[in-house]
Amino acid sequence: MQELSDKLKAPLTDLLLSIADDKLMLGHGASDWTGLAPILEEDIAFSAISQEEIAHAAALYEVVGTMHGRSADAVAFGREPSAYRCAELTSLGDDFDWSRAIVRQLFCDHFDLLRFERLARSLLKSVAALSKRIGAEEATHVEHADVWLIRLGRGGDESKTRAQAALNALSGAAAMLFEPTDGVDVLEREGIYPAGEGSLFDRWQEDVGRVVAEAGLTLEVVPSPADAVGGRRGRHGESFTGLLDEMCEVYRVEPEAAW
Amino acid sequence: MSAGVTSSEELRIDWKIQEDPDRMAAFQAHIDAKGLVEADDWMPHNYRVGMLRMAEHHANSEIVGALPEGEWITRAPSLRRKLALVAKVQDEVGHGQMLYRTSQDLGKSRDQMLRDLVTGKTRYHNVFNYPAPTWADVAMIQWLVDGAAILNQKSLAEGSYGPYVRTMKRINMEEAFHFKSGEDMVLTLMSGTKRQRQMAQEAFDRWWGPCLMFFGPPDRESTKTGPFMTWRIKTATNDTLREAYVDRFAPAARALGLNIHLARKNPDGLIAVKADGTPDKIEDPLIRLDESTGHWGFTQPDWDEFYRVIGGDGPCNKQRVALRRFSYEQGRWVRQAVMGCAGLPPSRN
Amino acid sequence: MSKIREQFQAGEGELASSPEADPKAYEVFIQLTRGQPHVHTGTVDAVDDKMALEYARKHYGRDQACVHMWVVAREAMISAGYGDDIIWPLTDQDYRLARGYAADVRRKWEQFRSKEDVDRYQKEDIKDAF
């Protein structure tokens, strides 16, 4: 990686962690469906997506680990809860309701695709190259979520009701995906995380709104106040800490040991 | 492609059925000449039903087999192990999907097979009725249980039904990954800390018995010469496979420093504890190489336990079927939604 | 273990719901590297083409590295062969295969040229002819 000034290192760490932690939590939640999904073929497909989410996270942890002289596993499993930068949405349980699992993916995948589009234009060549590769797979996740929402929205009364309920239930948490990580403005100015046309929020609303409309559903997401503090700055709820404890159960038995 | 056998009445084994003697002779000659039977071919009723039952049981086992390890996906202790475990459990589901398809083409709908599974009308492999209480159990399942499955499936790949044989070969290629990954986990634990080695030994104690039972009860004369053997639906006897298994795994376990124990189990599948607080187990005195035969000795597993567990009274029977049933019931509205929403064109082509 | 795998409510006895229809079967053919033929690798069940393609990609497209796939509804496939349905003719087909001529041609050449000359000349023959 190109030499980074100390001024940029901390904001970049936060930004990359916000993406990696989102993906780890999301992949973690999705992977729990393996063996239990509503259709066998979908079980395989959704499990493949969960693996990609975790693999994306692993690649980003590798970058962060290299910056800080730690292993990717130590970064993934060995931090205090307040050092995680994921948004609450990614750690919200789905109660084994397929519509919630799909809406959670839909919101996060569209958001990730936009982040990777920006990072793919980063002046940091290694980050740009990695983001291009991840972004290509992210596009397939987006398509998967889009098609499912459309199928659910158009799949009869019960399905439509459930899909709408899931959109309503998760719309509140969706707004906090956009909470800025510390120092993100510096990264934008320096061309490490170049801003695109329009705000992330507006573009996301447009992309997701198009799919929601095609599914015959509705969605209203109210932007969070600028000073709202959440997961991007280390403030987490019980859904996150519970998930983290479970994820680290074996790792913490002997953190120094190889498993 | 499938011949239209649909009602459950038609899916019963019935040895009183009189098949056309000329066709039977030609069918047997084809099989004796190592020929493969394809889904479109004429086949005796009992061959179809026997094959369907075997493929369906195998598919059920893959689907239920995804559950014990699935419990550990959310707790895997490294990114690589987490990815590997998700991929492994995903493979089991994939195997189930392929084997249900083989069964569907023999005449039973997938939905009916899933319904029969979750209402306890059909069975799955007994080994999945045991608990996996620690991470080391995941390692032992992938090494010992998948090792047993590979041995069994290699023999099934010598069978006579083409679609099943091809599926077996394909499944075995994926099992090779499961087995290597299992070996890697066991080797890592056994070269790790004292606590990790102890975890491994305890898990080994839990799985050794069920793995000896894996191949089924001791052979009776009838099973060695029955029609399922002459039709090559079954290709090796239970005892032959068990012997080959012990010959491979007993010396491997000992080389790793694992002791092979006879252990008393509680109804929950865990090793019983004596009054002094230590596990109720002794080393199997018969574990040694018999120079004259070249085979390893071993004490037969507790066959009473085997019949008790297969009869439904095992540590995890109810829990496994209930979770699978929950999945079926929860997924119903989703399946109905997609059936009602068929007709979306493919977007990338 | 995750909460849902421990705490769930499943029914008992017979299922309350009526049986469901299986979706359609689609056959999947994969190409391992560009330029190689597509070979049959498996089947997926799906309600429509879009779902079939997605499921084929995610299952068979990820079991082994491949570059292209064909997915076709089984009901669109027609087949022939086995038993009395003859595809390959029962009469001698040597007259339309290279191997039907190989020995004769070799013997005849050797009346005109030395073994070594014929060997050298036949090096250019197509070796993997039918």
Side-chain angles (χ1 to χ4, degrees):
Chain A
M1 180 171 294
Q2 291 145 275
E3 275 303 312
L4 271 185
S5 70
D6 285 344
K7 190 180 72 173
L8 293 176
K9 201 168 160 181
L12 182 61
T13 300
D14 266 22
L15 176 69
L16 294 180
L17 283 180
S18 76
I19 305 174
D21 292 344
D22 273 4
K23 280 186 166 286
L24 181 62
M25 292 300 151
L26 197 60
H28 179 92
S31 72
D32 201 15
W33 283 83
T34 306
L36 298 172
I39 299 169
L40 292 183
E41 281 84 353
E42 180 57 35
D43 201 310
I44 298 162
F46 201 52
S47 179
I49 287 174
S50 79
Q51 286 168 52
E52 284 171 2
E53 298 286 10
I54 298 166
H56 294 171
L60 292 162
Y61 287 137
E62 198 68 49
V63 175
V64 173
T66 308
M67 282 163 64
H68 295 269
R70 298 180 74 185
S71 72
D73 279 330
V75 179
F77 296 99
R79 280 174 289 154
E80 289 300 312
S82 62
Y84 285 79
R85 293 288 173 266
C86 43
E88 188 192 18
L89 175 62
T90 59
S91 61
L92 287 182
D94 51 41
D95 288 335
F96 211 66
D97 177 339
W98 186 244
S99 59
R100 282 179 81 114
I102 287 301
V103 168
R104 191 178 56 197
Q105 281 304 133
L106 178 87
F107 288 174
C108 295
D109 290 341
H110 274 278
F111 179 61
D112 281 339
L113 189 63
L114 293 171
R115 285 196 286 192
F116 284 118
E117 271 173 24
R118 290 175 63 173
L119 276 174
R121 293 183 281 113
S122 175
L123 295 180
L124 276 178
K125 294 279 183 291
S126 56
V127 170
L130 179 61
S131 301
K132 221 170 259 168
R133 286 205 308 276
I134 297 180
E137 287 187 349
E138 196 64 53
T140 69
H141 298 188
V142 164
E143 175 164 9
H144 178 268
D146 287 0
V147 170
W148 262 109
L149 191 77
I150 293 165
R151 284 193 197 281
L152 295 184
R154 296 185 187 176
D157 290 344
E158 178 177 7
S159 167
K160 184 174 183 170
T161 307
R162 283 174 179 270
Q164 187 60 60
L167 285 168
N168 298 347
L170 297 180
S171 62
M176 285 303 277
L177 284 171
F178 301 88
E179 179 193 5
T181 52
D182 279 334
V184 72
D185 47 336
V186 182
L187 298 174
E188 288 177 355
R189 265 202 313 278
E190 299 286 328
I192 287 175
Y193 186 47
E197 273 180 50
S199 75
L200 269 185
F201 183 75
D202 290 345
R203 288 196 56 194
W204 180 88
Q205 269 217 314
E206 195 186 316
D207 292 348
V208 173
R210 202 181 309 119
V211 184
V212 169
E214 205 182 325
L217 301 164
T218 59
L219 174 68
E220 193 189 349
V221 179
V222 181
S224 304
D227 57 354
V229 175
R232 302 283 185 234
R233 279 170 284 184
R235 185 179 292 174
H236 299 287
E238 278 173 20
S239 67
F240 170 79
T241 46
L243 209 63
L244 186 66
D245 285 345
E246 183 185 341
M247 196 188 309
C248 298
E249 186 187 307
V250 181
Y251 175 85
R252 286 175 188 161
V253 172
E254 302 243 6
E256 301 305 316
W259 287 96
Chain B
M1 270 195 186
S2 66
V5 184
T6 44
S7 84
S8 55
E9 199 54 40
E10 286 176 79
L11 293 173
R12 295 220 175 100
I13 294 276
D14 182 356
W15 296 113
K16 290 198 289 293
I17 286 181
Q18 293 292 315
E19 302 280 7
D20 177 344
D22 289 345
R23 282 186 137 175
M24 282 296 267
F27 183 79
Q28 190 64 55
H30 178 62
I31 285 179
D32 292 346
K34 301 276 175 226
L36 292 179
V37 179
E38 296 298 333
D40 287 345
D41 290 337
W42 179 86
M43 60 188 92
H45 170 85
N46 289 326
Y47 178 92
R48 174 184 298 280
V49 176
M51 200 53 241
L52 167 58
R53 285 197 177 169
M54 183 152 123
E56 180 181 4
H57 181 272
H58 199 159
N60 288 348
S61 304
E62 298 282 357
I63 294 302
V64 177
L67 301 180
E69 286 175 278
E71 293 172 358
W72 285 93
I73 285 177
T74 54
R75 293 176 288 180
S78 75
L79 292 162
R80 186 176 162 85
R81 293 281 187 234
K82 198 175 184 76
L83 284 167
L85 185 56
V86 183
K88 197 260 179 175
V89 178
Q90 177 195 39
D91 279 350
E92 310 290 2
V93 178
H95 298 170
Q97 186 258 321
M98 291 190 283
L99 286 160
Y100 278 131
R101 188 14 94 182
T102 305
S103 313
Q104 282 164 275
D105 291 341
L106 283 163
K108 190 171 177 182
S109 81
R110 185 197 286 183
D111 181 61
Q112 193 57 52
M113 289 187 271
L114 290 172
R115 293 172 74 87
D116 286 350
L117 172 64
V118 303
T119 50
K121 294 189 184 69
T122 52
R123 288 185 177 145
Y124 50 90
H125 201 291
N126 214 29
V127 82
F128 301 117
N129 286 321
Y130 289 89
T134 72
W135 173 255
D137 291 78
V138 176
M140 287 302 161
I141 290 173
Q142 288 191 25
W143 186 45
L144 294 178
V145 179
D146 287 43
I150 289 173
L151 204 58
N152 191 37
Q153 287 164 184
K154 269 162 77 177
S155 98
L156 294 172
E158 305 291 312
S160 63
Y161 187 58
Y164 186 70
V165 163
R166 288 189 290 276
T167 305
M168 275 315 103
K169 290 182 176 161
R170 204 191 153 82
I171 287 178
N172 280 339
M173 287 194 269
E174 294 182 358
E175 295 281 2
F177 141 55
H178 306 170
F179 183 70
K180 277 288 163 243
S181 149
E183 280 183 305
D184 189 45
M185 282 191 274
V186 171
L187 286 162
T188 304
L189 290 173
M190 289 311 287
S191 22
T193 64
K194 189 172 169 221
R195 182 149 181 200
Q196 287 176 309
R197 289 198 301 277
Q198 191 185 340
M199 276 174 83
Q201 177 68 58
E202 287 168 4
F204 184 87
D205 292 338
R206 283 189 285 276
W207 289 99
W208 178 252
C211 283
L212 292 181
M213 296 177 199
F214 184 96
F215 303 97
D219 299 313
R220 285 168 302 175
E221 274 316 301
S222 58
T223 55
K224 289 185 216 164
T225 53
F228 291 144
M229 287 297 272
T230 57
W231 281 337
R232 277 193 296 118
I233 286 181
K234 214 169 148 37
T235 50
T237 68
N238 299 349
D239 287 329
T240 318
L241 290 169
R242 187 164 20 248
E243 182 179 77
Y245 182 78
V246 175
D247 285 347
R248 182 168 194 207
F249 285 90
R254 298 201 352 159
L256 282 177
L258 290 163
N259 288 318
I260 300 174
H261 291 118
L262 305 175
R264 194 168 62 81
K265 280 186 177 175
N266 291 325
D268 63 5
L270 303 184
I271 307 296
V273 177
K274 289 186 290 191
D276 65 3
T278 59
D280 192 354
K281 61 183 186 185
I282 54 160
E283 281 196 46
D284 182 348
L286 300 185
I287 292 283
R288 60 173 177 272
L289 180 64
D290 181 339
E291 302 282 356
S292 65
T293 62
H295 293 299
W296 283 72
F298 62 96
T299 300
Q300 287 285 329
D302 180 353
W303 290 110
D304 290 339
E305 174 189 315
F306 173 80
Y307 287 110
R308 199 165 57 242
V309 175
I310 224 169
D313 197 17
C316 303
N317 300 49
K318 286 189 184 65
Q319 175 189 337
R320 301 277 186 249
V321 174
L323 185 53
R324 193 59 229 174
R325 178 171 178 145
F326 171 71
S327 160
Y328 181 83
E329 289 174 337
Q330 288 288 304
R332 180 176 167 81
W333 72 266
V334 182
R335 291 187 297 275
Q336 281 187 319
V338 296
M339 290 300 264
C341 187
L344 294 185
S347 48
R348 283 169 290 155
N349 207 338
Chain C
M1 129 178 39
S2 72
K3 197 177 66 186
I4 202 70
R5 287 174 188 259
E6 280 181 312
Q7 305 163 359
F8 59 87
Q9 221 40 65
E12 279 177 35
E14 291 299 318
L15 288 158
S17 64
S18 47
E20 301 167 25
D22 283 351
K24 292 191 295 184
Y26 285 77
E27 301 298 344
V28 184
F29 301 80
I30 57 169
Q31 186 186 38
L32 293 180
T33 53
R34 228 181 153 95
Q36 294 297 305
H38 288 66
V39 287
H40 183 246
T41 188
T43 313
V44 290
D45 283 26
V47 299
D48 56 29
D49 295 355
K50 190 180 191 79
M51 190 183 253
L53 188 61
E54 164 82 357
Y55 289 164
R57 294 171 80 101
K58 287 292 199 297
H59 185 176
Y60 298 105
R62 291 175 55 112
D63 280 353
Q64 48 192 323
C66 59
V67 294
H68 196 264
M69 60 172 41
W70 291 331
V71 180
V72 56
R74 187 186 274 185
E75 65 189 13
M77 297 171 72
I78 50 178
S79 66
Y82 291 154
D84 294 334
D85 183 12
I86 303 305
I87 300 177
W88 183 253
L90 296 179
T91 52
D92 187 358
Q93 294 295 300
D94 267 9
Y95 71 90
R96 47 188 289 273
L97 297 170
R99 67 166 185 249
Y101 300 88
D104 276 355
V105 164
R106 175 82 203 192
R107 188 171 43 74
K108 287 171 185 170
W109 264 122
E110 285 179 12
Q111 293 170 356
F112 293 91
R113 306 173 80 175
S114 71
K115 268 181 179 326
E116 293 72 28
D117 276 354
V118 181
D119 280 344
R120 213 163 18 243
Y121 164 77
Q122 287 197 334
K123 266 189 194 145
E124 299 300 322
D125 277 6
I126 293 170
K127 294 293 188 300
D128 52 359
F130 289 119

